[in-house]
Amino acid sequence: MQSCKYSCETASETLAWINDIIHFITPFSFLINSHVVNFFKDRLWENVNAEWIDCLRGEPVQNLLLIPSGVVQDQWPTSLKEFILKLRSMVFRQEQADLNMALPGLQMTSLNSVLAQGMNVKKRHEVEVLSAVVSTVAGGVRAHAIVDVGAGQGYLAQVLAFQYQHPVIAIDACSHHGIVTDARAERIKKHYASQMVKSGSGMRTLNVPKTITCCVLSIDTLKTLVETSLPGKDVEQSGLKGGNQEDQGKLNWPSDANKKPSTVLAGLHACGDLSVTMLKTFLECKDVKAIVSIGCCYNLLSEESIGDGGSLCGFPMSHAVRSTGLSLGKSARDLACQSAERWRSLDMHAGVHNFELHAFRAAFQMVLSKYYPEVVMCAPSIGRKGKALRRRHQRRSAESQLHLKGNTCYTRQNFTPVVPAESETEGISGSTSEIQALPSESNGSAGCEGTKFDDKFSNFENFCQSGLSHLGIKCSHDINLQGIWKEAEPFLDLIGPYWSLRAALGPLLETLILLDRLLFLQERGSALEAYLLPIFDPNISPRNVAIIAKKIDKDLRSSCY
């Protein structure tokens, strides 16, 4: 359901789409590669079309928050509207697909309270949908087992095992996760065993995920795990079968003892290069018949240098994109983690609060540059705890709606907008640190005309003290924080327009990364079929596009969504 201009059904169409994106973003490298922390220090707004900035600095917060979604206003300059609309036309559509149409035979079942225990709303939605998708794909390729890569605490693995009755291997680098997975699986097993006894069925074998603790750092590692973890009939399994103890502990593999069971690789937000490793393992391991991968943390992807022929880089993957010499860089990969849906969902109060936090961080960088230049050289990070504070404000926002409706005083002179940080990554190095008690937190007046200079300065002073403490630096009385704040204050209302424009490029950069991964598979020709499918509600889970690929099965037909 893409626009009629772009399609990714074939390798040539995917490459044409990629080339258009590269051509579009090249002139805006100054915007993509900028660092938010240097906004005031390097006067970053001066690099942007002055007409655009002058227009947007007078816009209400709500209009700025809609820019990443491609929403424009009639009164804006034509060139600005063309930029936003053209950009958005090239973004892969992430509205949740009609999964029943895209995957015939899919049967999604709501998780019961036992399987869903411990999951938040986001995780439950993801696991409920992805388990049904993976089960359908596994059935379609007649796979005998599923390997959950980056399994975490085993939520997906356990649903696939207990609810969909697949043999599952759960791989995670954290030994603690393995312990939690095993303990949780044992509790779930007891529940199902009890239900079986009560129902009188007593005949169903219970699959319990097999956990493996291993840090998957290479294709060879994952390939070895896949090939050695399922050695045919000798694989052990925790099971319960109708009181016949002799039947416990074995999986029902193919009758041919010499035939290794085929597998499906599944990954729910496998971080950084792990998603890349999964895709490459899918190609190289003959026992892997299909893959369902949803990546995340693009900021952690590795990149090769131009001219470096290394094959293990996270981006670019495809031969065609690698041949262009394109390199994104960390700032661009950070930006690819931004979510238009998350921007759009912020109310005015939450948006303004996020804006202020980022303004404080940019002003804090001026403090570091002036008084601690040796620290700046080390690219310091002062923590990523702004998310916790933001969530508290979001919870309070509902309570403050009546107050806001009676005090709608957000004008160009009195708000300090900056990008809302995306939940799965805070998006920038050196993002905002936790401030335990901001004055504006209690009175809800952040950004209103009634907020005095001293109020905002007090917040900034608290922020600086927290940041310096995090860096192990004792705040000196020689630091003129008030002078720094007065230097930054005239430009506070420029950060919102700048970051709204920059954030609009984020979904396009994610599209580029996803299309490169798809093209990497499509370049293998008719040996397999691959497509992109948005399987989650993007308002709940912004990283919602699954790469689904399978070695050719003529009984199935796939298309790019």
Side-chain angles (χ1 to χ4, degrees):
M1 298 180 69
Q2 291 298 319
S3 65
C4 59
K5 183 175 181 180
Y6 293 106
S7 172
C8 53
E9 292 185 2
T10 67
S12 60
E13 290 175 335
T14 303
L15 180 58
W17 192 346
I18 288 173
N19 285 335
D20 274 5
I21 292 175
I22 294 174
H23 178 75
F24 181 87
I25 65 176
T26 299
F28 298 99
S29 60
F30 70 90
L31 198 58
I32 293 171
N33 297 322
S34 62
H35 297 276
V36 62
V37 296
N38 296 324
F39 182 79
F40 297 124
K41 183 176 73 70
D42 294 343
R43 301 176 68 87
L44 295 179
W45 62 88
E46 294 181 350
N47 296 320
V48 182
N49 184 308
E51 186 182 20
W52 295 5
I53 288 290
D54 288 343
C55 167
L56 294 178
R57 73 186 302 181
E59 285 295 307
V61 175
Q62 300 97 314
N63 289 352
L64 296 179
L65 296 175
L66 291 174
I67 288 177
S69 296
V71 178
V72 299
Q73 307 301 320
D74 292 340
Q75 71 275 15
W76 290 359
T78 300
S79 60
L80 173 58
K81 291 188 287 188
E82 289 177 348
F83 165 78
I84 295 172
L85 295 175
K86 171 65 175 176
L87 183 159
R88 194 63 192 175
S89 74
M90 291 187 287
V91 171
F92 185 85
R93 296 274 301 275
Q94 290 186 274
E95 291 85 353
Q96 187 177 20
D98 182 339
L99 297 180
N100 291 314
M101 180 179 294
L103 296 168
L106 180 140
Q107 294 183 342
M108 192 178 306
T109 306
S110 297
L111 303 186
N112 60 45
S113 59
V114 175
L115 285 173
Q117 186 177 7
M119 299 184 194
N120 59 24
V121 173
K122 177 176 180 288
K123 183 62 67 177
R124 180 168 184 164
H125 172 70
E126 292 169 345
V127 171
E128 194 170 275
V129 174
L130 183 57
S131 59
V133 171
V134 172
S135 181
T136 301
V137 172
V141 299
R142 300 177 178 86
H144 305 103
I146 296 167
V147 179
D148 181 6
V149 184
Q153 296 188 21
Y155 294 134
L156 176 64
Q158 288 155 4
V159 173
L160 287 167
F162 289 105
Q163 182 159 293
Y164 291 96
Q165 303 177 43
H166 293 286
V168 181
I169 306 296
I171 302 174
D172 197 84
C174 177
S175 59
H176 174 69
H177 284 168
I179 294 171
V180 172
T181 298
D182 288 340
R184 191 173 186 274
E186 189 62 28
R187 293 194 300 271
I188 297 172
K189 175 186 170 183
K190 289 179 179 178
H191 166 78
Y192 275 87
S194 175
Q195 293 297 107
M196 289 164 58
V197 171
K198 290 179 180 179
S199 67
S201 60
M203 296 301 294
R204 174 183 152 197
T205 298
L206 290 178
N207 286 320
V208 177
K210 176 183 178 181
T211 58
I212 297 177
T213 298
C214 180
C215 188
V216 178
L217 297 176
S218 69
I219 302 167
D220 289 341
T221 301
L222 184 53
K223 184 178 178 182
T224 299
L225 288 172
V226 171
E227 292 175 340
T228 61
S229 298
L230 303 170
K233 288 186 175 182
D234 294 328
V235 175
E236 292 187 359
Q237 171 200 292
S238 299
L240 182 147
K241 187 174 181 179
N244 185 354
Q245 297 299 316
E246 294 181 358
D247 290 332
Q248 294 184 37
K250 299 293 181 181
L251 289 173
N252 297 318
W253 296 120
S255 58
D256 183 356
N258 296 318
K259 182 179 180 180
K260 287 187 177 181
S262 60
T263 63
V264 171
L265 291 182
L268 174 54
H269 295 150
C271 189
D273 284 346
L274 185 55
S275 294
V276 174
T277 300
M278 290 175 62
L279 292 171
K280 294 182 177 181
T281 301
F282 162 69
L283 293 183
E284 294 192 12
C285 186
K286 67 180 185 300
D287 295 326
V288 178
K289 301 304 181 184
I291 183 172
V292 182
S293 173
I294 302 174
C296 74
C297 300
Y298 305 126
N299 53 310
L300 299 179
L301 284 173
S302 61
E303 286 194 77
E304 63 181 351
S305 301
I306 295 177
D308 181 359
S311 61
L312 298 179
C313 66
F315 180 88
M317 291 188 68
S318 66
H319 173 76
V321 178
R322 289 177 62 188
S323 67
T324 68
L326 176 68
S327 177
L328 290 179
K330 187 177 184 305
S331 292
R333 287 183 277 110
D334 282 343
L335 189 55
C337 297
Q338 291 294 320
S339 163
E341 287 76 21
R342 288 285 171 85
W343 273 70
R344 189 172 60 239
S345 67
L346 288 177
D347 60 32
M348 184 187 300
H349 183 70
V352 170
H353 177 67
N354 275 277
F355 299 163
E356 284 196 338
L357 284 175
H358 285 275
F360 293 157
R361 179 58 184 94
F364 180 63
Q365 189 74 359
M366 297 173 69
V367 175
L368 295 179
S369 298
K370 183 173 183 178
Y371 295 100
Y372 304 99
E374 69 285 354
V375 174
V376 173
M377 294 296 293
C378 299
S381 173
I382 62 170
R384 307 201 305 178
K385 299 179 182 179
K387 181 167 62 176
L389 187 58
R390 181 172 66 254
R391 284 174 174 171
R392 289 206 299 272
H393 274 261
Q394 288 173 336
R395 286 195 298 268
R396 293 172 184 172
S397 64
E399 301 173 3
S400 64
Q401 289 304 305
L402 291 176
H403 173 76
L404 288 174
K405 288 179 181 178
N407 297 274
T408 51
C409 53
Y410 295 84
T411 65
R412 70 175 243 177
Q413 290 85 9
N414 52 44
F415 75 88
T416 57
V418 196
V419 63
E422 209 278 329
S423 69
E424 291 180 24
T425 174
E426 295 302 308
I428 56 169
S429 174
S431 55
T432 57
S433 66
E434 181 77 76
I435 303 174
Q436 294 299 328
L438 292 174
S440 62
E441 192 171 331
S442 60
N443 61 30
S445 62
C448 287
E449 277 185 4
T451 301
K452 300 178 181 179
F453 171 87
D454 288 345
D455 292 333
K456 286 190 176 182
F457 172 69
S458 177
N459 295 346
F460 172 61
E461 188 175 34
N462 290 338
F463 185 98
C464 290
Q465 291 171 351
S466 175
L468 291 172
S469 175
H470 187 89
L471 296 173
I473 300 172
K474 185 176 181 179
C475 188
S476 170
H477 293 294
D478 295 332
I479 300 177
N480 184 7
L481 292 180
Q482 192 171 67
I484 294 289
W485 185 247
K486 285 184 176 179
E487 186 178 345
E489 190 185 30
F491 309 107
L492 296 180
D493 63 339
L494 297 177
I495 306 179
Y498 183 89
W499 272 98
S500 299
L501 294 172
R502 187 172 189 270
L505 290 160
L508 186 59
L509 293 168
E510 181 182 20
T511 296
L512 176 59
I513 293 171
L514 292 172
L515 291 176
D516 171 62
R517 294 178 179 184
L518 177 63
L519 183 59
F520 167 75
L521 298 173
Q522 291 175 330
E523 287 176 338
R524 272 56 187 177
S526 60
L528 55 88
E529 55 185 4
Y531 54 100
L532 301 177
L533 190 69
I535 67 173
F536 303 143
D537 180 342
N539 294 296
I540 299 175
S541 181
R543 302 278 84 75
N544 75 330
V545 179
I547 296 181
I548 301 176
K550 43 202 169 187
K551 285 151 188 183
I552 288 300
D553 183 339
K554 294 181 180 180
D555 295 331
L556 288 178
R557 182 173 64 87
S558 300
S559 62
C560 178
Y561 181 79

